[in-house]
Coordinates of all heavy atoms in Angstrom, one line a residue:
M17 N 96.4 72.6 75.8 CA 97.7 72.4 76.2 C 97.5 71.4 77.4 O 96.6 71.4 78.3 CB 98.4 73.7 76.9 CG 99.5 73.4 77.7 SD 100.4 74.8 78.5 CE 99.2 76.2 78.6
K18 N 98.4 70.3 77.4 CA 98.4 69.3 78.4 C 99.5 69.7 79.4 O 100.6 69.9 79.0 CB 98.7 68.0 77.8 CG 98.5 66.8 78.9 CD 98.2 65.5 78.1 CE 98.2 64.5 79.1 NZ 96.8 64.1 79.5
V19 N 99.1 69.6 80.7 CA 100.1 70.0 81.8 C 100.2 68.7 82.7 O 99.1 68.2 83.1 CB 99.5 71.2 82.6 CG1 100.5 71.5 83.8 CG2 99.5 72.4 81.6
S20 N 101.4 68.4 83.1 CA 101.5 67.1 83.8 C 101.3 67.3 85.2 O 101.4 68.5 85.7 CB 103.0 66.6 83.7 OG 103.9 67.6 84.3
K21 N 101.0 66.4 86.0 CA 100.8 66.4 87.4 C 102.0 66.8 88.1 O 102.0 67.5 89.1 CB 100.2 65.1 87.9 CG 98.7 64.7 87.5 CD 98.3 63.4 88.0 CE 96.8 63.2 87.5 NZ 96.3 62.0 88.1
T22 N 103.1 66.4 87.6 CA 104.5 66.7 88.2 C 104.7 68.2 88.2 O 105.2 68.8 89.2 CB 105.6 65.9 87.4 OG1 105.3 64.5 87.6 CG2 106.9 66.2 88.1
R23 N 104.4 68.9 87.1 CA 104.5 70.2 86.9 C 103.7 71.0 88.0 O 104.1 71.9 88.6 CB 104.1 70.7 85.5 CG 104.3 72.2 85.3 CD 103.9 72.6 83.9 NE 104.2 74.0 83.6 CZ 103.4 75.1 84.0 NH1 102.4 74.9 84.6 NH2 104.0 76.3 83.5
S24 N 102.4 70.5 88.3 CA 101.6 71.1 89.2 C 102.1 70.9 90.6 O 102.1 71.8 91.4 CB 100.1 70.5 89.1 OG 99.5 70.9 87.9
V25 N 102.7 69.8 90.9 CA 103.4 69.6 92.2 C 104.5 70.4 92.4 O 104.6 71.1 93.4 CB 103.8 68.0 92.4 CG1 104.6 67.9 93.6 CG2 102.5 67.0 92.5
I26 N 105.4 70.5 91.4 CA 106.7 71.5 91.5 C 106.2 72.9 91.7 O 106.6 73.7 92.4 CB 107.6 71.3 90.4 CG1 108.0 69.8 90.4 CG2 108.7 72.2 90.4 CD1 108.8 69.4 91.5
K27 N 105.2 73.3 90.9 CA 104.6 74.6 91.1 C 104.0 74.9 92.5 O 104.2 75.9 93.0 CB 103.4 74.9 89.9 CG 103.2 76.2 89.7 CD 102.1 76.3 88.5 CE 101.5 77.6 88.4 NZ 100.5 77.5 87.3
A28 N 103.4 74.0 92.8 CA 102.7 74.1 94.2 C 103.8 74.3 95.3 O 103.7 75.1 96.2 CB 101.9 72.9 94.6
I29 N 104.9 73.4 95.3 CA 106.0 73.4 96.2 C 106.6 74.8 96.1 O 106.9 75.4 97.2 CB 107.0 72.3 95.9 CG1 106.3 71.0 96.3 CG2 108.4 72.4 96.7 CD1 107.0 69.8 95.8
S30 N 106.9 75.3 94.9 CA 107.7 76.6 94.9 C 106.9 77.7 95.4 O 107.4 78.6 96.1 CB 108.3 76.8 93.4 OG 107.2 77.0 92.5
W31 N 105.6 77.7 95.1 CA 104.7 78.8 95.5 C 104.6 78.7 97.1 O 104.7 79.7 97.7 CB 103.3 78.7 94.9 CG 102.5 79.8 95.4 CD1 101.4 79.6 96.1 CD2 102.6 81.2 95.4 NE1 100.8 80.8 96.5 CE2 101.6 81.8 96.0 CE3 103.6 82.0 94.8 CZ2 101.4 83.1 96.2 CZ3 103.5 83.3 95.0 CH2 102.4 84.0 95.6
R32 N 104.5 77.5 97.7 CA 104.4 77.3 99.1 C 105.6 77.9 99.8 O 105.5 78.3 101.0 CB 104.1 75.9 99.5 CG 102.6 75.5 99.3 CD 101.5 76.4 99.8 NE 101.7 77.4 100.8 CZ 101.5 78.7 100.9 NH1 100.9 79.2 99.9 NH2 101.7 79.3 102.0
I33 N 106.7 77.7 99.3 CA 107.9 78.1 99.9 C 108.0 79.7 100.1 O 108.0 80.2 101.2 CB 109.2 77.8 99.1 CG1 109.4 76.3 99.2 CG2 110.4 78.5 99.6 CD1 110.6 75.7 98.3
V34 N 107.4 80.3 99.0 CA 107.3 81.7 99.0 C 106.1 82.2 100.1 O 106.4 83.1 100.9 CB 107.0 82.4 97.7 CG1 106.6 83.9 97.7 CG2 108.1 82.2 96.7
G35 N 105.0 81.5 99.9 CA 104.1 81.8 100.9 C 104.3 81.5 102.4 O 103.9 82.3 103.2
T36 N 105.0 80.4 102.6 CA 105.3 80.1 103.9 C 106.3 81.1 104.6 O 106.2 81.5 105.7 CB 105.9 78.7 104.1 OG1 104.7 77.8 103.6 CG2 106.3 78.2 105.4
L37 N 107.3 81.5 103.8 CA 108.2 82.4 104.3 C 107.5 83.8 104.7 O 107.7 84.4 105.8 CB 109.3 82.8 103.3 CG 110.4 81.6 103.1 CD1 111.2 82.0 102.0 CD2 111.1 81.4 104.4
D38 N 106.4 84.2 103.9 CA 105.6 85.4 104.2 C 104.9 85.1 105.4 O 104.8 86.1 106.3 CB 104.8 85.6 103.0 CG 103.8 86.8 103.3 OD1 104.3 87.8 103.5 OD2 102.6 86.6 103.2
T39 N 104.3 83.9 105.7 CA 103.4 83.7 106.8 C 104.2 83.7 108.1 O 103.9 84.1 109.1 CB 102.7 82.3 106.6 OG1 101.8 82.5 105.5 CG2 101.9 82.0 107.9
M40 N 105.4 83.0 108.0 CA 106.4 83.0 109.0 C 106.8 84.4 109.5 O 106.8 84.8 110.8 CB 107.6 82.2 108.8 CG 107.4 80.8 108.7 SD 109.0 80.1 108.3 CE 108.5 78.3 108.1
A41 N 107.1 85.3 108.6 CA 107.4 86.6 108.9 C 106.4 87.4 109.5 O 106.5 88.1 110.4 CB 108.0 87.4 107.7
L42 N 105.1 87.2 109.0 CA 104.0 87.9 109.5 C 103.5 87.4 110.9 O 103.3 88.2 111.9 CB 102.7 87.7 108.6 CG 102.7 88.4 107.3 CD1 101.6 88.1 106.4 CD2 102.7 90.0 107.5
G43 N 103.7 86.1 111.2 CA 103.5 85.6 112.4 C 104.4 86.0 113.4 O 104.1 86.4 114.6
W44 N 105.7 86.2 113.2 CA 106.7 86.7 113.9 C 106.4 88.2 114.3 O 106.5 88.6 115.4 CB 108.1 86.5 113.3 CG 109.3 87.0 114.0 CD1 109.2 87.7 115.3 CD2 110.6 86.9 113.7 NE1 110.6 88.0 115.7 CE2 111.4 87.5 114.7 CE3 111.2 86.4 112.7 CZ2 112.9 87.6 114.6 CZ3 112.7 86.6 112.5 CH2 113.3 87.1 113.5
L45 N 106.1 89.0 113.2 CA 105.8 90.3 113.3 C 104.6 90.7 114.3 O 104.7 91.5 115.1 CB 105.4 90.8 112.0 CG 105.2 92.5 111.9 CD1 106.5 93.2 112.3 CD2 104.8 92.9 110.5
I46 N 103.5 89.8 114.0 CA 102.3 90.0 114.9 C 102.5 89.6 116.3 O 101.9 90.3 117.3 CB 101.1 89.2 114.1 CG1 100.8 90.0 112.8 CG2 99.8 89.3 115.1 CD1 99.9 89.2 112.0
T47 N 103.1 88.4 116.5 CA 103.2 87.9 117.8 C 104.5 88.3 118.6 O 104.5 88.3 119.8 CB 103.2 86.4 118.0 OG1 104.4 85.8 117.3 CG2 102.0 85.8 117.1
G48 N 105.5 88.8 117.8 CA 106.8 89.0 118.5 C 107.6 87.8 118.7 O 108.7 88.0 119.3
S49 N 107.2 86.7 118.4 CA 107.9 85.4 118.6 C 108.2 84.7 117.3 O 107.4 84.3 116.6 CB 107.0 84.5 119.5 OG 107.6 83.2 119.5
P50 N 109.6 84.5 117.1 CA 109.9 83.8 115.8 C 109.5 82.4 116.0 O 109.2 81.8 114.8 CB 111.5 84.0 115.9 CG 111.8 84.5 117.2 CD 110.6 85.2 117.8
L51 N 109.5 81.7 117.2 CA 109.0 80.4 117.3 C 107.6 80.2 116.9 O 107.3 79.2 116.2 CB 109.3 79.9 118.8 CG 109.0 78.4 119.0 CD1 109.9 77.5 118.0 CD2 109.2 78.1 120.4
I52 N 106.8 81.2 117.3 CA 105.3 81.0 116.9 C 105.2 81.2 115.4 O 104.4 80.5 114.8 CB 104.5 82.0 117.7 CG1 104.3 81.6 119.2 CG2 103.0 82.2 117.1 CD1 103.7 82.5 120.0
G53 N 105.9 82.2 114.9 CA 105.9 82.4 113.4 C 106.4 81.1 112.7 O 105.7 80.7 111.7
L54 N 107.4 80.5 113.1 CA 107.8 79.3 112.6 C 106.7 78.1 112.6 O 106.5 77.4 111.7 CB 109.1 78.7 113.3 CG 109.8 77.5 112.7 CD1 110.3 77.8 111.3 CD2 111.0 77.1 113.6
K55 N 106.2 78.0 113.8 CA 105.1 77.0 113.9 C 103.9 77.3 113.0 O 103.3 76.2 112.4 CB 104.7 76.9 115.4 CG 105.6 76.3 116.3 CD 105.2 76.4 117.8 CE 106.1 75.8 118.8 NZ 105.6 75.9 120.1
I56 N 103.6 78.5 112.8 CA 102.4 78.7 112.1 C 102.6 78.5 110.6 O 101.9 77.9 110.0 CB 102.0 80.3 112.3 CG1 101.4 80.6 113.6 CG2 101.1 80.6 111.1 CD1 101.2 82.0 113.9
G57 N 104.0 78.9 110.2 CA 104.4 78.7 108.9 C 104.5 77.1 108.6 O 104.2 76.7 107.4
A58 N 105.1 76.3 109.5 CA 105.2 75.0 109.3 C 103.8 74.2 109.1 O 103.7 73.4 108.2 CB 105.9 74.3 110.4
L59 N 102.9 74.7 109.8 CA 101.5 74.1 109.8 C 100.9 74.4 108.3 O 100.4 73.6 107.7 CB 100.6 74.5 110.9 CG 99.2 73.8 110.9 CD1 99.2 72.4 110.9 CD2 98.3 74.5 112.0
E60 N 100.9 75.8 108.0 CA 100.3 76.1 106.7 C 101.0 75.6 105.6 O 100.4 75.6 104.6 CB 100.0 77.6 106.8 CG 101.2 78.5 106.6 CD 101.6 78.7 105.2 OE1 100.9 79.2 104.4 OE2 102.9 78.6 104.9
L61 N 102.2 75.4 105.7 CA 102.9 74.8 104.5 C 102.3 73.7 103.9 O 102.1 73.5 102.7 CB 104.4 74.5 104.9 CG 105.3 73.8 103.9 CD1 105.5 74.6 102.7 CD2 106.6 73.3 104.5
F62 N 101.9 72.7 104.8 CA 101.4 71.3 104.3 C 99.8 71.6 103.8 O 99.4 71.0 102.8 CB 101.5 70.3 105.3 CG 103.0 70.0 105.6 CD1 103.6 70.5 106.7 CD2 103.6 69.2 104.6 CE1 104.8 70.1 107.0 CE2 105.0 69.0 104.8 CZ 105.6 69.3 105.9
T63 N 99.1 72.3 104.7 CA 97.7 72.5 104.3 C 97.4 73.2 103.1 O 96.8 72.8 102.2 CB 96.9 73.2 105.6 OG1 97.5 74.4 105.8 CG2 97.0 72.3 106.8
K64 N 98.2 74.3 102.9 CA 98.0 75.2 101.8 C 98.5 74.5 100.5 O 98.1 74.7 99.4 CB 98.6 76.6 101.9 CG 97.5 77.4 102.9 CD 98.0 78.8 103.0 CE 97.1 79.5 104.0 NZ 97.5 80.9 104.2
M65 N 99.6 73.9 100.6 CA 100.2 73.1 99.4 C 99.2 72.1 98.9 O 99.0 72.0 97.7 CB 101.5 72.4 99.7 CG 102.2 71.9 98.5 SD 103.9 71.3 98.7 CE 104.0 70.8 100.4
A66 N 98.5 71.4 99.8 CA 97.5 70.3 99.3 C 96.4 71.1 98.7 O 95.9 70.7 97.6 CB 97.0 69.5 100.5
L67 N 95.9 72.1 99.3 CA 94.8 72.8 98.8 C 95.1 73.6 97.4 O 94.2 73.6 96.5 CB 94.3 74.0 99.8 CG 93.6 73.5 101.0 CD1 93.5 74.6 102.0 CD2 92.3 72.9 100.8
Y68 N 96.4 73.9 97.2 CA 96.7 74.6 95.9 C 96.7 73.6 94.9 O 96.3 73.7 93.8 CB 98.2 75.3 96.1 CG 98.6 75.8 94.7 CD1 98.2 77.0 94.2 CD2 99.3 75.0 93.9 CE1 98.4 77.4 93.0 CE2 99.7 75.4 92.7 CZ 99.3 76.7 92.2 OH 99.6 77.2 91.0
Y69 N 97.2 72.4 95.1 CA 97.3 71.2 94.2 C 95.9 71.0 93.7 O 95.7 70.8 92.6 CB 98.1 70.1 94.7 CG 98.1 69.0 93.8 CD1 98.9 68.9 92.8 CD2 97.1 67.9 93.8 CE1 99.0 67.8 91.8 CE2 97.1 66.9 92.9 CZ 98.0 66.8 91.9 OH 98.0 65.8 91.0
I70 N 95.0 70.7 94.7 CA 93.5 70.5 94.3 C 93.0 71.7 93.6 O 92.3 71.3 92.5 CB 92.8 70.2 95.5 CG1 93.3 68.8 96.2 CG2 91.3 70.1 95.3 CD1 92.8 68.8 97.7
H71 N 93.2 72.8 93.9 CA 92.8 73.9 93.1 C 93.3 74.0 91.7 O 92.5 74.1 90.8 CB 93.1 75.2 93.9 CG 92.6 76.5 93.4 ND1 93.5 77.3 92.6 CD2 91.4 77.0 93.4 CE1 92.8 78.4 92.2 NE2 91.5 78.3 92.7
E72 N 94.6 73.8 91.5 CA 95.2 73.8 90.3 C 94.6 72.7 89.3 O 94.4 73.0 88.2 CB 96.7 73.6 90.5 CG 97.6 73.5 89.2 CD 97.8 74.8 88.5 OE1 97.4 75.8 89.0 OE2 98.3 74.7 87.4
R73 N 94.5 71.5 89.9 CA 94.0 70.4 88.9 C 92.5 70.7 88.6 O 92.1 70.4 87.5 CB 94.2 69.1 89.7 CG 95.7 68.7 90.0 CD 96.6 68.8 88.9 NE 96.2 67.8 87.7 CZ 96.8 67.8 86.7 NH1 97.9 68.5 86.3 NH2 96.4 66.9 85.7
A74 N 91.7 71.3 89.6 CA 90.4 71.6 89.2 C 90.3 72.6 88.0 O 89.4 72.4 87.1 CB 89.6 72.0 90.5
W75 N 91.1 73.6 88.1 CA 91.2 74.7 87.1 C 91.6 74.0 85.7 O 91.1 74.4 84.6 CB 92.1 75.7 87.5 CG 91.3 76.8 88.1 CD1 91.2 77.1 89.5 CD2 90.5 77.9 87.5 NE1 90.4 78.1 89.8 CE2 90.0 78.7 88.6 CE3 90.2 78.2 86.2 CZ2 89.1 79.7 88.4 CZ3 89.3 79.4 85.9 CH2 88.8 80.1 87.1
L76 N 92.4 73.1 85.7 CA 92.9 72.4 84.5 C 91.7 71.7 83.8 O 91.8 71.4 82.7 CB 94.1 71.6 84.8 CG 95.4 72.3 85.0 CD1 96.5 71.4 85.5 CD2 95.9 73.1 83.8
R77 N 90.7 71.4 84.5 CA 89.5 70.7 84.0 C 88.6 71.6 83.2 O 87.7 71.1 82.6 CB 88.8 69.9 85.1 CG 89.6 68.7 85.6 CD 88.7 68.2 86.8 NE 89.4 66.9 87.3 CZ 88.8 65.7 87.1 NH1 87.6 65.5 86.5 NH2 89.5 64.6 87.4
T78 N 88.8 72.8 83.3 CA 88.0 73.7 82.7 C 88.7 74.5 81.5 O 89.9 74.7 81.6 CB 87.2 74.7 83.6 OG1 86.4 75.6 82.9 CG2 88.4 75.5 84.3
K79 N 87.9 74.9 80.5 CA 88.5 75.7 79.5 C 88.2 77.2 79.8 O 88.6 78.0 78.8 CB 88.0 75.3 78.2 CG 88.3 73.9 77.7 CD 88.6 73.8 76.3 CE 88.9 72.4 76.0 NZ 90.3 72.1 75.6
F80 N 87.7 77.6 80.9 CA 87.4 79.0 81.2 C 88.6 79.9 81.0 O 89.7 79.6 81.6 CB 86.9 79.1 82.6 CG 86.5 80.5 83.1 CD1 85.3 81.2 82.6 CD2 87.4 81.3 83.8 CE1 85.0 82.4 83.0 CE2 87.1 82.6 84.1 CZ 85.9 83.2 83.8
G81 N 88.4 80.9 80.2 CA 89.5 81.8 80.0 C 90.6 81.5 79.1 O 91.7 82.1 79.0
T82 N 90.4 80.4 78.4 CA 91.4 79.9 77.5 C 91.0 80.2 75.9 O 89.9 80.3 75.7 CB 91.7 78.4 77.6 OG1 90.6 77.7 77.4 CG2 92.2 78.1 79.0
K83 N 91.9 80.3 75.1 CA 91.5 80.4 73.6 C 92.2 79.3 72.9 O 93.5 78.8 73.2 CB 92.0 81.7 73.2 CG 91.4 82.9 73.9 CD 91.9 84.1 73.3 CE 91.3 85.4 74.0 NZ 91.8 86.6 73.5
D84 N 91.5 78.8 71.8 CA 92.2 77.9 70.9 C 92.9 78.6 69.9 O 92.5 79.7 69.4 CB 91.1 77.1 70.2 CG 90.4 76.0 71.2 OD1 91.0 75.6 72.1 OD2 89.3 75.7 71.0
K85 N 94.0 78.1 69.4 CA 94.9 78.7 68.4 C 94.3 78.6 67.1 O 93.7 77.7 66.7 CB 96.4 78.2 68.4 CG 97.1 78.6 69.6 CD 98.4 78.1 69.5 CE 99.2 78.6 70.9 NZ 100.6 78.2 70.8

């Protein structure tokens, strides 16, 4: 199966939205400050999206765990 780079980018963005909302909520819960939660979430949004994209593309280079039809 061939997967486009665009698909990986869109998948990374949608997952980061979910993950960032979770991080913001946890940051707020732990610190008691919604502003600190927002700052933590904003920073990790970009770092984790880039790391996810790299991770996804690396996994696409291997056939580990796949089956041919």
Side-chain angles (χ1 to χ4, degrees):
M17 169 179 21
K18 185 155 175 102
V19 177
S20 73
K21 290 181 181 180
T22 301
R23 182 180 190 275
S24 294
V25 169
I26 298 301
K27 191 175 171 184
I29 291 168
S30 68
W31 178 245
R32 280 316 329 136
I33 290 169
V34 172
T36 298
L37 291 172
D38 177 60
T39 299
M40 287 179 188
L42 289 172
W44 182 358
L45 182 68
I46 291 168
T47 67
S49 169
L51 184 57
I52 291 175
L54 183 65
K55 288 179 181 179
I56 292 169
L59 180 61
E60 69 88 50
L61 172 66
F62 296 103
T63 59
K64 288 188 179 171
M65 190 167 28
L67 289 170
Y68 176 83
Y69 177 81
I70 293 165
H71 182 260
E72 174 78 4
R73 297 311 296 180
W75 268 97
L76 288 172
R77 292 176 170 248
T78 181
K79 296 220 183 247
F80 179 81
T82 62
K83 295 180 182 179
D84 291 328
K85 290 184 179 183

